[in-house]
Amino acid sequence: MKGFVKFVAAALLASVSATGALAQAKEWKEVRIGTEGAYPPYNNLNAKKELEGFEIDYGNLLCEKMKVKCTWVVQDWDGIIPALLANKYDIIIAGMNATDERKKQVEFTAVYNKTPIWMVGPKATKTNDITPAALKGKAIGAQGSTIHANFLEKFYTGSNPRLYPTQEEANLDLINGRLDYIVADALALSDFLNGKGKDCCKLIAEVPRDAAIHGPGVAGAIRKSDTALKALFDKAIAETLADGSNKKLEEKWFKLAATN
């Protein structure tokens, strides 16, 4: 895996140099970054209403490497792509998976993170069978306008998918017995299981990835016209993969919950 990461990083660096996009990218002096601020440990607003999380630290690190001034803009998830297209900010860094469906509207940077997908339920759940047949009629929660919502709507037509504006609202309904299961990234659900969901809930099973729905991993979303900005971010991402700074931030923020 380490050799693969180095290969990817080298390939990204070579690609940027070959296109000559770096010279154009120097025109970018300031970059506005849109994020949700409600999806820990990727991005979250703390008690002081300050942004924190892996992507906040990582976005700031990328800006340092690019030598540009960056400012953060908080935006509700449902409107996060429309706000980018409306020029409210220049890039989305918000735990967004680079799916083919989203590529119809935006361009993506290189992938900077990929995690498993989990289904979580009450501790009293006696089976880890999460096939559509086994969960027929069950209420399954997910955040709306996400790959997880799309996955439920495609494969779990016999269940009762319930979509929420934020992951936190789905988590609370599971705690309060209004849902049978929830689906999200393993890291987001680990944060939940290590916190508010510690006493009530547990990992049921890992959800199989569907390439068409889930995509290759998490990346930044940019307007299709901003090719120089994409090249700038791609180069910085490649550097963080090569020098280990991406991994250091993952180790700081990502704590998977126990799986037994």
Side-chain angles (χ1 to χ4, degrees):
M1 178 59 73
K2 291 182 179 178
F4 175 75
V5 170
K6 290 181 179 179
F7 171 78
V8 171
L12 286 169
L13 287 168
S15 175
V16 172
S17 298
T19 60
L22 184 57
Q24 297 180 42
K26 291 181 180 179
E27 297 175 6
W28 284 88
K29 302 298 182 182
E30 298 185 13
V31 176
R32 299 162 299 165
I33 305 175
T35 197
E36 182 187 10
Y39 201 63
Y42 284 100
N43 58 82
N44 190 51
L45 287 170
N46 61 24
K48 296 180 181 179
K49 301 300 180 183
E50 299 169 333
L51 282 169
E52 64 178 15
F54 165 75
E55 287 181 314
I56 309 308
D57 284 356
Y58 189 57
N60 290 334
L61 173 63
L62 294 176
C63 292
E64 289 178 15
K65 288 185 174 295
M66 296 186 297
K67 295 180 172 55
V68 298
K69 176 184 178 181
C70 286
T71 56
W72 290 88
V73 180
V74 177
Q75 168 68 46
D76 289 344
W77 180 260
D78 283 351
I80 204 162
I81 288 181
L84 171 71
L85 300 179
N87 200 37
K88 186 174 180 180
Y89 35 78
D90 306 303
I91 183 172
I92 297 169
I93 296 182
M96 181 173 285
N97 284 268
T99 66
D100 289 343
E101 185 64 27
R102 289 170 178 153
K103 288 177 182 177
K104 295 176 182 178
Q105 300 183 73
V106 299
E107 186 61 74
F108 282 98
T109 67
V111 169
Y112 57 79
N113 179 252
K114 180 179 179 180
T115 61
I117 299 167
W118 283 1
M119 190 172 289
V120 163
K123 284 190 174 181
T125 305
K126 300 185 184 304
T127 177
N128 61 359
D129 186 351
I130 61 168
T131 59
L135 301 193
K136 184 176 181 180
K138 299 293 185 180
I140 311 173
Q143 185 175 5
S145 302
T146 64
I147 57 174
H148 313 299
N150 296 340
F151 183 77
L152 291 180
E153 291 172 339
K154 178 177 178 179
F155 294 107
Y156 288 80
T157 55
S159 300
N160 180 19
R162 296 182 186 174
L163 307 184
Y164 295 80
T166 67
Q167 185 62 43
E168 174 70 11
E169 292 173 76
N171 297 348
L172 290 174
D173 266 8
L174 180 65
I175 292 174
N176 293 320
R178 290 189 284 268
L179 289 173
D180 298 302
Y181 301 92
I182 55 177
V183 178
D185 292 324
L187 292 169
L189 289 181
S190 286
D191 192 78
F192 168 64
L193 292 176
N194 288 327
K196 293 180 180 179
K198 183 176 180 179
D199 296 326
C200 75
C201 308
K202 67 178 182 180
L203 167 65
I204 304 301
E206 182 173 332
V207 175
R209 294 184 74 94
D210 180 88
I213 290 178
H214 296 129
V218 175
I222 295 176
R223 289 181 291 273
K224 289 179 179 289
S225 59
D226 289 335
T227 55
L229 185 61
K230 170 177 161 50
L232 195 63
F233 270 96
D234 282 350
K235 181 176 183 295
I237 290 169
E239 290 175 357
T240 67
L241 294 175
D243 66 17
S245 53
N246 177 292
K247 184 176 181 180
K248 286 181 180 179
L249 288 178
E250 288 183 340
E251 291 172 347
K252 172 185 176 181
W253 286 102
F254 297 162
K255 307 296 181 184
L256 282 178
T259 57
N260 52 21

